[in-house]
Amino acid sequence: MTRLTDIALRHATFLVFALVLLWFGLQAPGFLSPESIANIVKQAAFIGIAAIGMTFVLLTAGIDLSVGSVIYLAPLIAGFAMRDLGIGVGGGLVVAVVSGAFLGAINAAAIVGLRIIPFIVTLATLFAFRGFGAFLTGSQQFDFDADMRAFGLASIGPVPLPIVFFAGLAGLAHVVLTRTAFGRQIYAVGNDPEAARKAGLPVDWIRARVYVISGACAGLAGFVVIAQIGRLDAGFGEGREFDVIAAAVLGGASLFGGIGSALGAVVGATLIQTVRSGLVFTGVNLYLQPILMAGIIFLAVLIDSLRARRARQLKRRTIRPIDA
Amino acid sequence: MTALLAFDGLSKDWFGVPAVTDFTLGIEPGSSLGLIGENGAGKSTLMNMVGGVVAPSSGRMTWQGEPYAPATPADAARRGIAFIHQELNLFTNLSIAENIFIDGFPRRFGLIDRARIAATARSLLQRLDLDHAPDTIVGELAPGERQLVEIAKALHREADLIIFDEPTTSLTPRETARLFDVIARLRAEGRTLIYISHILGDVTRVCDQVAVLRDGRLIDHGPVADFPVPRMIRAMIGRELSGLFPDRSATPSPTVIFRAEGLGQPGVIETISFEAHAGEILGLFGLMGSGRSELARAAFGLDPLASGTLALADRPLTGPTAARIAAGMAFVTENRREEGLMLEAPVADNLSLVAVRAFGRGPLALLDREAHAVATERARAELGVRAGRIATQPVKALSGGNQQKVVIGKWLMADPRFFILDEPTRGVDVGAKYEIYTLIDRLAAAGSGILFISSEVEELIGMCDRILVMSRGELVRAFTPPFNREQILASAFREAVT
């Protein structure tokens, strides 16, 4: 019985995903066409790339609220670099990722160095990063050259570039999390930081790196989507930190740390985008959409807390044998 | 033969209070040392010094003939010392193999060499007769199996010295038998063991040397053949009666105030039944991990109970903690600083915490500050709390004894009829202890029932009308005056001494 519950909890997102696809497919058969699905995945890349980075942070039981602003500030810095230094779109991409990583490092320094809780640090930088961007632009929109858009709309073979980045990053993150010592130690820190310290793991260094990764991913996410639009509005990315967190949690990452996967983040982001597109596709009242999204996020968090309760049960100490 | 690990005058004190004093002993390679003593005797502090968790205040250790001063647990592990803690240091979300290698994965092309860790883990598990695939997630294993994974970790690090801290408390008899098999094999391989346990029969079975600690000092040691269980117990309890106890000012009434029947919770407590009378101080003695605090928490509605019933003054006691408080129950937790007080808040706010609703006035239940100040000051005076301005002084500024009076005092305004006091004098100096004993006597004389939980036999003997003894989650025996210290302790250790 508990085994069944465990399995259901672990795969809840996939169940929900299948039901959502089935529901929209029945409502409007065109929704399940290859073009429509490819379009959903392409749009999901934006939140999905950032959610992969967020998963690293959530695995350590941390949180990164600043992604909503890094998504804006990192491509902006890249834009200035492209305009003023003439480094081209490829160079811009690198600048965006490096700036994102640098902004993440600011978070890491405050969290690990000054021992301030992640929620407060990243709430502060959420405002600070956006404020800095507004200061740079005077709250004006920033226009990119035409080759930026050409890059954003390019594809490799039949595969649009955003999907290439999304898939590539997901694969890389999956390997890092499951196949490297660093990845497995992230899980260890999230499961029991005290035991990790006793085992001699560099807990602070591991914690610091996940924020850098989250920042870099958010920078990449912002750049990839801005490349499709060709301009950067002052309000770009506002409030997206919650979509990113929701995608990661929907994908099975636990806010309590130690549970989650890169592929889960992909599924979570795609699920959110599927619901969004599906609601538009089937012509549901525009004003009902946020409520339905809220319902899905609530469901994700509910599943997470049930899962966490199970995990606590597994860790509970007993002082006498349990009679079988 | 030089000792594998030698202690030379090792001492540790916490803020001037000695925990271990001048400990000198050598452990021969290949031997198996049983380390025994009451709670607070200094076993944990001693082992934490070996394990690199705390640094000694003075004295030194040598390991394989060389000076040994580990700065971190990882240091100790590198030198070949493995520590199997009571609460295991395993990551429940990782596989067995990953747990074994977590601090150093072998790599191939930058990635974890999964084939190699699986192969190594498999052979380690075979040596321990643990029949699980190396990629099994540790969270799915039973407690006894998890412990074998810890031992596999120690074997993997080629540990020369393995320290077991109460390894059998959560094991079934079958798992215990298997653990002893494994321990026998470890010994046959020439590894050295330190075995800490309250189960003296196990010590006799597993060890060839015994060392007894009391009040931080090495009292007695020698080969296990010279150490029958009565000698172990005698060595552990030679402690002088410290401090005096107030005379009891009233005798218990025949009225039953609190009744517990058949309380049970799998893995925690088992069929516990007792009753407490009005005006009675009922002692509950048990060693750490015996389930005494767990029993208190369950009775107070903080932890679940799978079976059994509770009654307060013949009315069934059910529902959440708030309902039990309203019914007249009070619980002074063993952990004053974390569970008993709001440390940063003023003394007055702590005193009125339980009864604060009584000071609400008008439709919005605004706090009547005047009445609150008067009532809290009266409570302070009654309790004899020495403090400055109680409306502003934070409770953390008080001494331990005065803090404890506040913890007990916060219940008094709610007029409870049954108190559970869990280690009410822990960390309190002798003078303040006497005042707390007096306070407890006053509560009993006023007709309340009291369950007095303690790991100090002496204070229970000095204060209680009856003493119950708990071990491994069960009530094993009840004692009435005249109390026999040796018998009480022996039954807590589950040994029959007549």
Side-chain angles (χ1 to χ4, degrees):
Chain A
M1 181 55 215
T2 51
R3 270 199 92 80
L4 261 179
T5 322
D6 276 359
I7 291 167
L9 284 177
R10 209 170 296 158
H11 303 291
T13 305
F14 295 92
L15 282 172
V16 173
F17 199 8
L19 288 175
V20 164
L21 281 177
L22 192 69
W23 167 254
F24 286 125
L26 288 174
Q27 298 281 306
F31 186 71
L32 296 181
S33 70
E35 300 81 50
S36 160
I37 301 237
N39 202 33
I40 288 171
V41 176
K42 190 170 116 186
Q43 288 171 346
F46 172 40
I47 294 303
I49 290 172
I52 290 170
M54 182 66 71
T55 299
F56 280 76
V57 173
L58 294 182
L59 277 170
T60 64
I63 197 153
D64 185 356
L65 296 176
S66 72
V67 290
S69 294
V70 175
I71 278 171
Y72 164 71
L73 183 55
L76 181 66
I77 294 170
F80 279 113
M82 287 157 70
R83 193 184 66 191
D84 299 340
L85 306 174
I87 52 174
V89 181
L93 176 71
V94 173
V95 171
V97 172
V98 171
S99 318
F102 175 75
L103 297 173
I106 294 177
N107 287 330
I111 291 164
V112 174
L114 303 178
R115 308 241 163 243
I116 309 173
I117 60 168
F119 186 93
I120 298 299
V121 168
T122 58
L123 184 64
T125 53
L126 174 68
F127 291 108
F129 294 163
R130 185 161 297 277
F132 186 65
F135 165 75
L136 288 180
T137 59
S139 273
Q140 301 295 305
Q141 74 173 47
F142 184 96
D143 291 302
F144 287 83
D145 289 343
D147 51 348
M148 178 75 164
R149 245 193 126 217
F151 173 80
L153 300 176
S155 50
I156 296 179
V159 189
L161 213 52
I163 297 187
V164 173
F165 279 114
F166 191 20
L169 180 72
L172 181 67
H174 176 72
V175 170
V176 168
L177 284 178
T178 59
R179 304 292 301 271
T180 69
F182 169 57
R184 300 321 287 167
Q185 289 175 347
I186 291 175
Y187 283 84
V189 169
N191 185 248
D192 190 340
E194 200 42 49
R197 205 164 283 124
K198 280 189 194 154
L201 305 190
V203 175
D204 284 347
W205 179 223
I206 291 167
R207 279 218 174 105
R209 280 191 285 178
V210 296
Y211 289 93
V212 174
I213 290 169
S214 174
C217 289
L220 177 67
F223 191 85
V224 167
V225 76
I226 289 304
Q228 295 170 61
I229 303 168
R231 67 183 157 75
L232 189 49
D233 295 318
F236 175 73
E238 249 166 1
R240 290 310 195 125
E241 57 278 359
F242 293 109
D243 290 355
V244 173
I245 293 166
V249 172
L250 264 179
S254 171
L255 294 166
F256 305 95
I259 308 173
S261 68
L263 302 185
V266 173
V267 174
T270 312
L271 173 57
I272 287 186
Q273 190 57 46
T274 306
V275 173
R276 242 190 211 130
S277 305
L279 292 174
V280 175
F281 211 86
T282 52
V284 171
N285 183 335
L286 208 65
Y287 298 107
L288 282 180
Q289 289 180 17
I291 297 175
L292 287 166
M293 289 307 298
I296 289 202
I297 291 172
F298 176 79
L299 186 71
V301 177
L302 177 69
I303 292 167
D304 182 37
S305 73
L306 292 176
R307 219 170 15 212
R309 204 177 304 165
R310 271 297 291 157
R312 267 200 306 279
Q313 276 171 8
L314 285 178
K315 284 172 83 170
R316 184 171 299 158
R317 285 177 54 205
T318 54
I319 56 171
R320 51 177 286 116
I322 296 169
D323 302 317
Chain B
M1 204 150 62
T2 56
L4 179 72
L5 175 66
F7 303 93
D8 182 11
L10 204 67
S11 302
K12 173 72 193 177
D13 59 79
W14 301 104
F15 310 106
V17 181
V20 171
T21 309
D22 197 21
F23 187 86
T24 301
L25 186 72
I27 299 172
E28 302 297 321
S31 69
S32 167
L33 174 74
L35 189 60
I36 59 175
E38 282 190 276
N39 294 145
K43 294 168 299 185
S44 305
T45 306
L46 184 64
M47 288 305 109
N48 281 335
M49 288 191 276
V50 176
V53 180
V54 301
S57 311
S58 65
R60 57 197 198 97
M61 292 181 274
T62 50
W63 171 251
Q64 293 173 332
E66 286 169 24
Y68 170 66
T72 64
D75 265 0
R78 256 194 303 281
R79 302 289 286 269
I81 295 175
F83 209 140
I84 316 287
H85 285 276
Q86 208 171 354
E87 62 273 22
L88 303 175
N89 278 321
L90 293 173
F91 304 104
T92 48
N93 59 345
L94 299 183
S95 73
I96 296 175
E98 287 168 341
N99 265 286
I100 292 173
F101 285 92
I102 190 68
D103 59 349
F105 285 100
R107 291 170 208 214
R108 243 175 108 230
F109 312 120
L111 300 183
I112 294 172
D113 187 346
R114 292 212 282 200
R116 211 170 112 203
I117 68 169
T120 312
R122 197 173 295 116
S123 79
L124 287 169
L125 296 181
Q126 260 165 19
R127 274 166 74 187
L128 298 172
D129 288 334
L130 185 56
D131 189 22
H132 278 293
D135 58 359
T136 309
I137 300 298
V138 165
E140 291 166 10
L141 302 180
E145 297 173 323
R146 293 186 199 189
Q147 195 169 47
L148 291 178
V149 174
E150 278 280 10
I151 297 173
K153 259 165 74 179
L155 291 180
H156 168 61
R157 295 193 186 128
E158 298 293 338
D160 297 305
L161 175 67
I162 304 179
I163 301 170
F164 289 91
D165 185 6
E166 294 288 354
T168 58
T169 43
S170 57
L171 302 191
T172 62
R174 245 186 51 224
E175 289 174 325
T176 304
R178 174 154 74 168
L179 175 70
F180 288 165
D181 265 7
V182 167
I183 286 179
R185 258 180 276 170
L186 296 175
R187 297 206 53 202
E189 290 173 10
R191 291 178 211 278
T192 311
L193 306 181
I194 297 179
Y195 189 92
I196 302 171
S197 182
H198 285 143
I199 304 173
L200 303 179
D202 290 355
V203 172
T204 310
R205 182 135 50 130
V206 169
C207 304
D208 53 20
Q209 297 282 319
V210 175
V212 185
L213 272 174
R214 187 207 311 153
D215 297 333
R217 291 172 187 278
L218 180 63
I219 295 299
D220 199 358
H221 69 107
V224 74
D226 302 344
F227 258 98
V229 166
R231 179 172 166 195
M232 294 186 192
I233 290 180
R234 256 198 320 278
M236 282 190 282
I237 59 169
R239 188 191 292 169
E240 288 307 303
L241 282 184
S242 55
L244 292 166
F245 302 95
D247 287 333
R248 292 290 306 281
S249 48
T251 49
S253 89
T255 321
V256 170
I257 190 109
F258 182 83
R259 178 173 296 151
E261 253 169 284
L263 307 185
Q265 171 72 17
V268 186
I269 52 176
E270 177 78 21
T271 51
I272 288 189
S273 302
F274 66 92
E275 48 192 42
H277 299 258
E280 181 183 36
I281 303 180
L282 177 61
L284 178 60
F285 178 72
L287 302 162
M288 219 173 323
S290 61
R292 35 174 214 201
S293 301
E294 287 80 356
L295 168 64
R297 289 180 57 86
F300 202 53
L302 295 171
D303 287 339
L305 265 180
S307 58
T309 56
L310 295 160
L312 184 62
D314 288 325
R315 296 249 286 280
L317 194 60
T318 53
T321 301
R324 299 181 195 212
I325 293 172
M329 204 171 168
F331 179 28
V332 172
T333 56
E334 80 183 306
N335 202 331
R336 177 169 70 233
R337 302 179 73 85
E338 273 130 46
E339 296 181 337
L341 292 170
M342 306 181 290
L343 282 176
E344 306 288 338
V347 176
D349 290 5
N350 272 285
L351 279 170
S352 64
L353 183 63
V354 177
V356 72
R357 296 171 74 95
F359 298 103
R361 301 285 183 271
L364 294 175
L366 295 176
L367 193 66
D368 181 345
R369 296 174 63 155
E370 199 78 12
H372 181 259
V374 171
T376 51
E377 173 53 32
R378 195 173 55 229
R380 186 206 63 77
E382 261 175 45
L383 292 161
V385 175
R386 278 176 292 276
R389 274 176 50 87
I390 59 167
T392 52
Q393 186 177 32
V395 78
K396 69 172 179 184
L398 303 186
S399 71
N402 281 306
Q403 284 183 4
Q404 191 65 23
K405 287 184 218 163
V406 174
V407 180
I408 299 174
K410 74 176 180 187
W411 292 103
L412 298 185
M413 286 194 202
D415 257 334
R417 282 174 293 173
F418 183 65
F419 287 82
I420 300 178
L421 310 177
D422 196 356
E423 298 280 7
T425 64
R426 175 182 291 174
V428 163
D429 64 61
V430 177
K433 269 187 182 177
Y434 188 87
E435 291 180 55
I436 289 170
Y437 295 141
T438 312
L439 183 57
I440 294 171
D441 172 63
R442 253 172 48 206
L443 297 175
S448 296
I450 289 170
L451 184 67
F452 186 168
I453 303 176
S454 175
S455 47
E456 277 185 46
V457 190
E458 291 81 7
E459 70 177 7
L460 294 181
I461 292 176
M463 288 300 295
C464 294
D465 300 300
R466 280 186 300 145
I467 297 175
L468 308 174
V469 178
M470 223 177 149
S471 165
R472 297 193 92 185
E474 297 162 38
L475 281 183
V476 287
R477 215 171 142 180
F479 291 88
T480 48
F483 296 116
N484 179 325
R485 201 150 54 137
E486 210 159 315
Q487 278 183 359
I488 293 173
L489 204 63
S491 59
F493 281 104
R494 297 179 88 84
E495 297 294 338
V497 173
T498 45

